[in-house]
Amino acid sequence: MKDFGFKIPQNIEFGIGSLKKLPKILEESRSKNVLLISDRGLEKLGVVAKVSNIIKEAGIKCTEFLDVVPNPTVDVVNEATEIYKNVEATSIIALGGGSPMDVAKAVGVLANFGGKITDYEGNHKVPGKVVPIIAIPTTAGTGSEVTASAVITDESRNYKFSVFSYEILPSYAVLDPELIMTAPASIAASCGVDALIHAMEAYISNNATPFSDAMAEKAMELIGRNLRAFVANRQNVDAACAMMLGSTFAGISFAWARLGNVHAMSHPVSAYFHVPHGVANSILLPTVFEYNALADRGRYEVIYNYICEGKEKVKNFKPQMLVDEIRKLNNDLGIPKSLSEVGVTEDMIPAMAEDAMKSGNIPANPRQTSLKEITELYKKAL
């Protein structure tokens, strides 16, 4: 067994109605002037008002930045940072899915250390702790509330880059399953598979450890047993609780084990064709896992048994059985079958493959991968 280390440096509150604990968290974090980062969709649903009212009723100043977009850009980060500085905020609340949290982490970096967010592209370039961030997820998918990365789109390069540093982990996370129970079925499906992929890729990662394995296995158990039920009925309280907690455990697992080719390849798809992150991941998953089967060390069978909860464990398991089950899961959840169905064109594959090879996730993939192989995987998924 190789050497490894880990830490859980965050305070996490979980449970139905746990949003009501926000004033206490704000007091503990000495937050007197908050920038609330979210999006217009959550504003229309009344979620932003619900959170901002709690903040204001606690006697804390709150300024809202709600112009976060899917696959947030450098410009969005700059706009939010300017507002943070202008109102002299002292902490950030990130409300939403991965996009608001990515923006919040990036703003946290620039607020403390200045420069451009592209200055911090790559691994461990943030020199110290960012401003306090309280993460409140409204999807069960990204796990961003417990991850050490922010993914930002640089439109000048048509490139999604990552800022990876344990310094940008949110200080607090509030996991209230009530906040995910109004999600449309399509969002619940794509985010749910994304969370499952986080656990699956962390579990087969070259960087996996007993700690990340424990988080990944529990995540796969919670998500695998509840994903279909949650998509079928978002008012299923038990399923919502399992999905919320499973997503967070999956986030913890990949924060330490990293991901693989699915995520390396999905980011260029989103950057060039504006495909939602969870959808891109889900489409690529069966193709990449079929490719990675050659490097399986018995872990495909473990994953298969979590996804196939309720079935008898099979004899004479073959890795292709997991690939087939993944395709069935995608079909059950209404995930598109191919990249072409979401607008991806063959002429952009060379550029996407080049970008995918720059990802820090490639080295964690269990099967060594060349540019030619990434190109062929894109073509196969098309």
Side-chain angles (χ1 to χ4, degrees):
M1 185 184 298
K2 62 185 178 183
D3 296 344
F4 69 96
F6 66 91
K7 57 183 176 179
I8 304 292
Q10 299 162 278
N11 295 285
I12 299 174
E13 293 287 346
F14 167 80
I16 295 289
S18 58
L19 188 61
K20 295 175 183 177
K21 297 180 181 179
L22 185 55
K24 179 183 177 182
I25 292 171
L26 290 166
E27 181 181 354
E28 288 179 0
S29 63
R30 299 179 181 177
S31 300
K32 300 296 182 184
N33 187 353
V34 172
L35 178 64
L36 174 60
I37 296 179
S38 192
D39 59 56
R40 296 296 175 184
L42 289 175
E43 180 188 32
K44 290 178 182 177
L45 291 172
V47 178
V48 171
K50 182 177 182 179
V51 173
S52 64
N53 287 341
I54 291 174
I55 298 169
K56 292 171 183 175
E57 287 172 6
I60 295 168
K61 183 179 179 181
C62 178
T63 303
E64 298 172 3
F65 178 80
L66 306 179
D67 291 329
V68 175
V69 295
N71 304 312
T73 64
V74 170
D75 287 343
V76 170
V77 170
N78 291 339
E79 290 170 19
T81 301
E82 184 176 0
I83 291 174
Y84 182 93
K85 292 179 177 178
N86 287 343
V87 302
E88 298 181 338
T90 57
S91 59
I92 300 171
I93 290 180
L95 174 68
S99 295
M101 293 190 200
D102 285 344
V103 173
K105 292 172 184 176
V107 172
V109 173
L110 298 184
N112 265 9
F113 304 110
K116 301 175 292 184
I117 194 59
T118 50
D119 296 337
Y120 305 93
E121 179 178 338
N123 297 336
H124 307 297
K125 294 182 181 178
V126 180
K129 280 291 181 187
V130 302
V131 301
I133 299 172
I134 300 168
I136 307 175
T138 60
T139 63
T142 68
S144 294
E145 68 275 6
V146 289
T147 63
S149 60
V151 181
I152 305 297
T153 299
D154 185 348
E155 292 183 307
S156 68
R157 295 182 286 166
N158 268 333
Y159 182 63
K160 287 182 78 169
F161 67 92
S162 293
V163 176
F164 184 88
S165 170
Y166 294 113
E167 304 290 357
I168 68 175
L169 284 163
S171 303
Y172 296 83
V174 180
L175 311 179
D176 190 337
E178 285 186 348
L179 296 177
I180 69 171
M181 293 172 69
T182 57
S186 59
I187 299 297
S190 61
C191 289
V193 178
D194 188 24
L196 184 61
I197 295 168
H198 291 155
M200 292 166 66
E201 285 208 288
Y203 192 60
I204 65 171
S205 167
N206 287 331
N207 299 331
T209 68
F211 170 72
S212 65
D213 284 351
M215 293 290 103
E217 286 202 55
K218 192 61 181 179
M220 289 187 290
E221 176 188 336
L222 289 166
I223 298 168
R225 293 177 180 177
N226 290 279
L227 177 53
R228 289 179 174 90
F230 181 61
V231 172
N233 178 12
R234 271 80 64 214
Q235 296 302 304
N236 182 327
V237 175
D238 289 340
C241 287
M243 291 300 298
M244 177 66 89
L245 201 55
S247 174
T248 296
F249 287 167
I252 294 172
S253 69
F254 88 78
W256 297 95
R258 301 302 296 264
L259 296 165
N261 284 0
V262 175
H263 276 77
M265 293 176 64
S266 74
H267 288 318
V269 171
S270 295
Y272 284 92
F273 295 98
H274 307 291
V275 179
H277 174 68
V279 174
N281 278 341
S282 302
I283 294 172
L284 288 164
L285 178 62
T287 299
V288 171
F289 262 60
E290 189 169 48
Y291 167 81
N292 281 336
L294 188 65
D296 178 42
R297 298 165 291 143
R299 298 204 160 203
Y300 273 36
E301 184 173 5
V302 176
I303 298 172
Y304 177 87
N305 288 328
Y306 283 124
I307 295 177
C308 296
E309 174 60 24
K311 299 180 182 179
E312 291 184 8
K313 291 187 177 181
V314 298
K315 297 179 180 179
N316 301 317
F317 175 83
K318 303 294 182 185
Q320 184 63 36
M321 294 170 64
L322 174 59
V323 177
D324 293 341
E325 191 63 29
I326 290 169
R327 289 197 171 100
K328 182 179 184 302
L329 176 64
N330 278 352
N331 185 67
D332 290 347
L333 298 178
I335 302 293
K337 291 182 175 61
S338 66
L339 292 175
S340 60
E341 290 183 43
V342 293
V344 177
T345 55
E346 187 170 4
D347 62 303
M348 294 304 298
I349 286 179
M352 292 195 300
E354 291 276 3
D355 287 349
M357 288 299 296
K358 300 174 187 176
S359 170
N361 291 317
I362 289 285
N365 195 71
R367 183 174 175 181
Q368 288 184 325
T369 311
S370 67
L371 176 62
K372 180 180 178 181
E373 287 166 319
I374 288 290
T375 301
E376 290 304 313
L377 287 173
Y378 273 127
K379 289 179 180 179
K380 191 169 184 180
L382 194 64

